[in-house]
Amino acid sequence: MNKKKHKQLENTLIISETSLREFTEQVFLTIGCTAAHAKLAADVLIAADLRGIDSHGTARLSGYVRLWQKGRLNPSPEIRIVHETPTTATVDGDRGLGLVVAPYAMEIAIKKAKDYGSGWVAVRNSNHFGIAGYHALLAVKQDMIGYAMTNASPLVTPTFSKERMLGTNPMCYAFPAGAYPPVVIDMATSAAANGKLEIAQRNGYSIPDGWVQTKDGTPSVNPHELKSGGALLPLGSDRAHGSHKGFGLSATVDILSAVLSGANYGPWAPPFVAYLEPHPQPVGEGLGHFLGALRADGFRPLDDFKQHMDNWIHRFKNAEPIDKNQPVIIPGEPERAATIERKANGIPVVKSVFDDLLKLANDLSLPSPNIA
Amino acid sequence: MNKKKHKQLENTLIISETSLREFTEQVFLTIGCTAAHAKLAADVLIAADLRGIDSHGTARLSGYVRLWQKGRLNPSPEIRIVHETPTTATVDGDRGLGLVVAPYAMEIAIKKAKDYGSGWVAVRNSNHFGIAGYHALLAVKQDMIGYAMTNASPLVTPTFSKERMLGTNPMCYAFPAGAYPPVVIDMATSAAANGKLEIAQRNGYSIPDGWVQTKDGTPSVNPHELKSGGALLPLGSDRAHGSHKGFGLSATVDILSAVLSGANYGPWAPPFVAYLEPHPQPVGEGLGHFLGALRADGFRPLDDFKQHMDNWIHRFKNAEPIDKNQPVIIPGEPERAATIERKANGIPVVKSVFDDLLKLANDLSLPSPNIA
């Protein structure tokens, strides 16, 4: 995206990475995070903004602050291992920021993988962890395959139901490559993520059939349907197109993240928004995550693996396209391209998010982020 | 399904589990498998028939024999570990039956999980392994979470492409429960499995939009489209409904099963049908699988885990249905119900498959299976 294009987006302001990062860090410091935690939490949110996953970056910053104001987020958690084998562990996040708890858990997984070939850490008593890709990529930096998933506020219905039972429950698999950048599959297990509904809401568009249903379970194309008690649909959208598979994937994320760790699962998962109260009779503690690291050289020499990853990427990039102007996209490519562009030209922030940041600056008596 | 219903299916014959199992075992013995391997291979195929996954049971038996006739399947493989860490291994299947190689690999994963909490085995130089669920359930029997996936003959196109680059690449996650049966998510990562096209072909139906496209990449509802060079679509069907996610899941299976193990990946994956030749310039050896076992008690006490699994299942079974006559289906429930019914009343085999078995009996000079 070039500067000209930016100017065409009337409701968007450009903020430099540095300015947005400094502001975000200051916010976390102000609510009581340690310097190290504030820096890490800001890094996770800015990574989302850089990667073009705008719904999971600083757009959520005020949400974390509101959870803290409600006393549902501990800014100075004592994160600790509560159960362990050589390659597995459960971590209690002590109601901390998932942005901090998840990287802590991933470092444990990486350490175990270094010693034994693989490491798997389930997390309970945490909060929203930002983008799954950030955590999975920590393993990739060590030439490991990274896994990251989390459960989330219930918005998605199982096939045949009209009840919101599951979050958009993302799963991420990240693979190191050689000359090519890593392959990063980072996906909500719903047909569409909530962020896509928000874009349609802002622009006044209707949405494709198969993303949401009404509170009675009728198909809908209204992007505001969730406000009327409707639900997001699992990947696959309907039974004929495999929504039972999307439900199965979402269930996998829920079970690994929360049933295994002792967090709240399914409809008990605590809401991210502070104006909704958590379930009065929880079945566990906080939100859950699941992180994993698998050494590539636990299976074949690292150079062999990387060479074949490059060959895999090269071959798939060159798969015969339907339209010559739209080649096959390797998972992770668009996010990488966005990062390069946004590091150079700044991060586009929509007006409503910027206003939210200004309000936050005012509330916390902080200087507001600079427009580029 | 009761007897009366069976009789209504004109093109279907009922064969007892015992008779079908004995016949299948005899076939594997005749092509040169050891008694133990023949018994195991038959068990995997009969499990598919019992679970109602008819496309992966004895319907495929003649396919394995034809691969053997072509010299592409070694009936007496020396399966061995070629690379190893405490919790990872790569197994060379020596061109054996995937039906035998995959359980061997899973036993290694289980052993490692017993010792270290988890175990992960990539397999190369193998063949079609039947249903993923069989292998994942071996771990569940040990109170572990089971993973099983495999790559397969290229029939599926990535988003934006018209080229067949991936198999229907199934992934299975299986979770032990307490009073309830295990949760078994066993799914092709394409919008529809090939078996569903075959049913429409037999019945002369058209198929839903979003399952296949023509060789030019145009949407199609023709169940015979693959014979004209068309392709299956990834889960999600099109970009707006998340086909890039289905592509990402299929890519994950391909990379874990084949790039990690040293098998053939993507368009190089060898075809199951013997009349198609493998790629003349392979990038690896045979087909690949990926098996995993994760100890549930590596994260929390086993009784706690099982109690919460039961609560998860109970809550999801009772999620408010759209139609009171169609409650939410827990993954694995239909397969379990089919097994109970078919163990009692016999296995329905369609006429064309039965004819294929009769031909096999004749070719190999074996007594044919008895109709119940």
Side-chain angles (χ1 to χ4, degrees):
Chain A
M1 216 185 272
N2 56 35
K3 285 245 167 173
K4 202 173 160 201
K5 228 171 172 180
H6 281 167
K7 280 187 188 150
Q8 288 170 353
L9 301 170
E10 271 179 38
N11 289 316
T12 302
L13 301 147
I14 305 297
I15 307 185
S16 75
E17 178 196 346
T18 311
S19 177
L20 201 55
R21 183 184 292 274
E22 277 172 8
F23 177 73
T24 305
E25 213 171 308
Q26 285 301 316
V27 169
F28 286 125
L29 280 171
T30 307
I31 69 170
C33 294
T34 63
H37 282 190
K39 190 176 172 179
L40 177 57
D43 196 47
V44 182
L45 287 190
I46 297 301
D49 282 330
L50 286 172
R51 291 174 75 79
I53 311 168
D54 301 345
S55 54
H56 283 58
T58 43
R60 288 205 178 238
L61 184 54
S62 68
Y64 292 103
V65 174
R66 281 193 287 265
L67 280 178
W68 165 73
Q69 286 167 332
K70 279 265 186 168
R72 279 163 54 190
L73 192 150
N74 178 2
S76 52
E78 265 189 60
I79 310 166
R80 63 201 174 90
I81 294 174
V82 292
H83 195 105
E84 196 173 15
T85 74
T87 65
T88 66
T90 294
V91 159
D92 186 315
D94 195 21
R95 297 185 304 118
L97 282 163
L99 307 170
V100 168
V101 177
Y104 177 96
M106 182 52 110
E107 293 303 338
I108 296 167
I110 289 169
K111 172 74 169 64
K112 288 176 177 292
K114 278 185 182 159
D115 292 344
Y116 297 100
S118 71
W120 308 91
V121 180
V123 178
R124 72 179 183 221
N125 209 6
S126 186
N127 279 288
H128 194 279
F129 79 3
I131 50 168
Y134 182 93
H135 313 300
L137 280 166
L138 294 176
V140 169
K141 284 175 193 159
Q142 309 289 329
D143 288 325
M144 298 177 185
I145 296 163
Y147 289 66
M149 42 187 81
T150 185
N151 73 345
S153 325
L155 292 173
V156 179
T157 186
T159 307
F160 300 130
S161 174
K162 57 188 175 186
E163 194 174 353
R164 294 171 176 183
M165 295 287 285
L166 292 155
T168 51
N169 293 5
M171 46 170 56
C172 178
Y173 300 91
F175 301 94
Y180 280 106
V183 173
V184 185
I185 295 137
D186 183 1
M187 49 174 269
T189 52
S190 50
N194 213 356
K196 291 204 176 171
L197 299 193
E198 287 162 12
I199 293 168
Q201 287 163 16
R202 276 201 296 273
N203 297 322
Y205 299 153
S206 64
I207 51 173
D209 210 2
W211 286 13
V212 300
Q213 66 185 19
T214 67
K215 65 176 177 177
D216 300 320
T218 310
S220 166
V221 294
N222 177 5
H224 301 278
E225 203 60 73
L226 266 60
K227 286 165 200 148
S228 319
L232 287 168
L233 295 170
L235 176 61
S237 297
D238 58 33
R239 182 63 178 76
H241 295 86
S243 69
H244 55 298
K245 299 179 183 183
F247 167 41
L249 293 170
S250 186
T252 297
V253 174
D254 199 36
I255 295 171
L256 289 173
S257 301
V259 179
L260 203 53
S261 69
N264 289 290
Y265 41 83
W268 287 279
F272 176 72
V273 290
Y275 60 83
L276 291 178
E277 289 301 318
H279 199 284
Q281 289 158 301
V283 292
E285 295 179 276
L287 213 63
H289 319 310
F290 187 74
L291 292 308
L294 190 63
R295 253 171 56 192
D297 68 356
F299 297 91
R300 68 189 301 186
L302 188 62
D303 285 349
D304 284 2
F305 177 75
K306 288 188 168 183
Q307 182 199 318
H308 282 282
M309 277 302 297
D310 280 350
N311 191 43
W312 190 98
I313 295 165
H314 180 78
R315 183 67 185 84
F316 276 80
K317 275 178 85 74
N318 290 287
E320 209 179 345
I322 296 172
D323 170 355
K324 274 178 192 161
N325 299 313
Q326 178 55 71
V328 167
I329 296 172
I330 303 300
E333 263 185 359
E335 293 82 2
R336 190 181 166 83
T339 302
I340 292 167
E341 196 277 330
R342 290 177 171 199
K343 272 190 174 285
N345 301 324
I347 295 168
V349 177
V350 294
K351 183 80 172 39
S352 58
V353 170
F354 189 71
D355 290 346
D356 198 41
L357 297 179
L358 290 184
K359 190 174 172 303
L360 204 53
N362 190 55
D363 289 354
L364 301 178
S365 308
L366 289 171
S368 57
N370 300 318
I371 300 167
Chain B
M1 215 185 273
N2 57 35
K3 286 246 167 171
K4 203 174 158 199
K5 227 172 171 180
H6 282 166
K7 280 188 186 150
Q8 287 169 354
L9 302 170
E10 269 179 39
N11 289 316
T12 303
L13 300 149
I14 305 296
I15 307 184
S16 75
E17 178 196 346
T18 312
S19 177
L20 201 55
R21 183 184 293 276
E22 279 172 7
F23 177 73
T24 306
E25 214 171 306
Q26 285 301 317
V27 168
F28 286 125
L29 280 171
T30 306
I31 68 170
C33 294
T34 63
H37 282 188
K39 192 176 173 180
L40 177 56
D43 197 47
V44 182
L45 288 189
I46 298 300
D49 282 330
L50 286 171
R51 291 173 76 78
I53 311 169
D54 300 344
S55 55
H56 283 56
T58 42
R60 288 206 178 238
L61 184 54
S62 68
Y64 293 103
V65 173
R66 280 192 288 265
L67 280 178
W68 165 72
Q69 286 166 332
K70 279 264 186 167
R72 279 163 53 190
L73 192 150
N74 177 2
S76 53
E78 262 188 62
I79 310 166
R80 65 202 172 91
I81 295 174
V82 291
H83 195 105
E84 196 172 16
T85 74
T87 65
T88 67
T90 295
V91 159
D92 186 315
D94 195 20
R95 297 185 304 119
L97 281 163
L99 307 169
V100 167
V101 177
Y104 176 96
M106 182 52 110
E107 293 303 338
I108 295 168
I110 290 170
K111 172 73 169 63
K112 288 177 178 291
K114 278 186 181 158
D115 294 343
Y116 297 100
S118 70
W120 308 91
V121 180
V123 178
R124 71 179 183 221
N125 210 4
S126 185
N127 278 288
H128 194 277
F129 79 3
I131 50 168
Y134 182 93
H135 314 299
L137 280 166
L138 295 176
V140 169
K141 284 176 193 157
Q142 308 290 329
D143 287 326
M144 298 177 184
I145 296 163
Y147 289 66
M149 43 187 81
T150 185
N151 72 346
S153 325
L155 293 173
V156 180
T157 186
T159 306
F160 300 129
S161 174
K162 58 187 176 187
E163 192 173 353
R164 294 171 176 182
M165 296 287 286
L166 293 155
T168 51
N169 293 5
M171 45 171 56
C172 178
Y173 299 91
F175 301 94
Y180 280 107
V183 173
V184 185
I185 294 137
D186 183 1
M187 50 174 268
T189 51
S190 50
N194 212 358
K196 290 201 176 174
L197 266 60
E198 287 163 11
I199 293 167
Q201 288 162 16
R202 276 199 296 272
N203 296 322
Y205 298 153
S206 64
I207 51 174
D209 210 2
W211 286 13
V212 300
Q213 66 185 17
T214 67
K215 65 176 178 175
D216 301 319
T218 310
S220 166
V221 295
N222 176 6
H224 300 277
E225 203 60 73
L226 267 61
K227 286 165 201 148
S228 319
L232 287 167
L233 294 170
L235 176 60
S237 298
D238 59 33
R239 183 63 178 75
H241 295 87
S243 68
H244 55 299
K245 299 179 184 184
F247 166 42
L249 293 169
S250 186
T252 297
V253 173
D254 198 35
I255 294 171
L256 289 173
S257 301
V259 180
L260 203 54
S261 69
N264 290 291
Y265 41 81
W268 287 278
F272 176 71
V273 290
Y275 60 84
L276 291 178
E277 290 300 319
H279 198 286
Q281 289 158 302
V283 293
E285 295 179 276
L287 214 62
H289 319 310
F290 187 74
L291 291 308
L294 190 63
R295 253 170 56 192
D297 69 355
F299 297 90
R300 68 190 300 184
L302 187 62
D303 284 350
D304 284 3
F305 176 75
K306 288 189 169 182
Q307 183 199 319
H308 282 281
M309 277 303 297
D310 280 349
N311 192 44
W312 190 97
I313 295 166
H314 180 78
R315 182 66 185 84
F316 275 81
K317 276 179 84 75
N318 290 287
E320 209 179 346
I322 296 171
D323 170 354
K324 273 175 193 162
N325 300 313
Q326 178 55 73
V328 167
I329 296 171
I330 302 300
E333 263 185 0
E335 293 81 2
R336 190 180 166 84
T339 303
I340 292 166
E341 197 277 330
R342 291 178 171 197
K343 272 188 173 287
N345 299 324
I347 295 168
V349 176
V350 294
K351 182 82 171 41
S352 57
V353 170
F354 189 72
D355 290 346
D356 199 40
L357 297 179
L358 290 184
K359 189 174 173 300
L360 204 54
N362 190 56
D363 289 354
L364 302 177
S365 308
L366 289 171
S368 56
N370 298 320
I371 301 168

